[in-house]
Amino acid sequence: MKRLVEVHYYIKPGERQAFYNAILSSGIADAARAEDRNEKYDYYFSSDNENELVLLEIWSSAEAVQFHMETPHYKALTELKKEYVTETVFKRYEITEI
């Protein structure tokens, strides 16, 4: 069964664009999108909170999510978050159709 992962990054005030730019310029997003079992990996700016960045990911399976969490680019994101992010909230769902 496919997995939808919804990630809410709560960013230090005024740093949302810088965090997003750092994700893009570091190649983290492109590397995640290039993973074989990734079907969606897109960031969205919250319209309700100027210090929130939302990531929606769709993976082919729970194992694909686990593999992703062990990649060098996921570890690079973890390090990048230390500079910009105050809190990360994950929500995971099983889905059958997109």
Side-chain angles (χ1 to χ4, degrees):
M1 188 164 295
K2 294 183 183 196
R3 301 290 178 167
L4 168 64
V5 180
E6 177 183 339
V7 185
H8 295 259
Y9 297 108
Y10 296 96
I11 316 299
K12 294 175 184 175
E15 294 292 322
R16 180 172 70 176
Q17 188 66 50
F19 178 55
Y20 178 68
N21 291 346
I23 290 168
L24 296 182
S25 67
S26 67
I28 292 169
D30 288 337
R33 289 182 185 117
E35 290 182 49
D36 287 338
R37 297 177 288 177
N38 177 263
E39 297 180 19
K40 179 180 184 69
Y41 191 92
D42 292 317
Y43 288 91
Y44 301 89
F45 292 98
S46 170
S47 59
D48 298 328
N49 182 343
E50 65 185 27
N51 297 313
E52 180 182 11
L53 185 64
V54 179
L55 169 62
L56 296 179
E57 309 170 57
I58 297 177
W59 300 91
S60 63
S61 65
E63 293 79 19
V65 174
Q66 186 58 43
F67 176 84
H68 169 66
M69 293 173 64
E70 297 169 7
T71 62
H73 51 273
Y74 184 89
K75 292 175 182 168
L77 178 59
T78 300
E79 289 302 309
L80 191 61
K81 285 170 39 178
K82 292 177 183 177
E83 183 177 347
Y84 294 101
V85 177
T86 59
E87 181 183 9
T88 305
V89 176
F90 293 90
K91 298 178 183 180
R92 293 184 173 100
Y93 308 92
E94 290 183 351
I95 58 173
T96 55
E97 294 293 325
I98 296 176

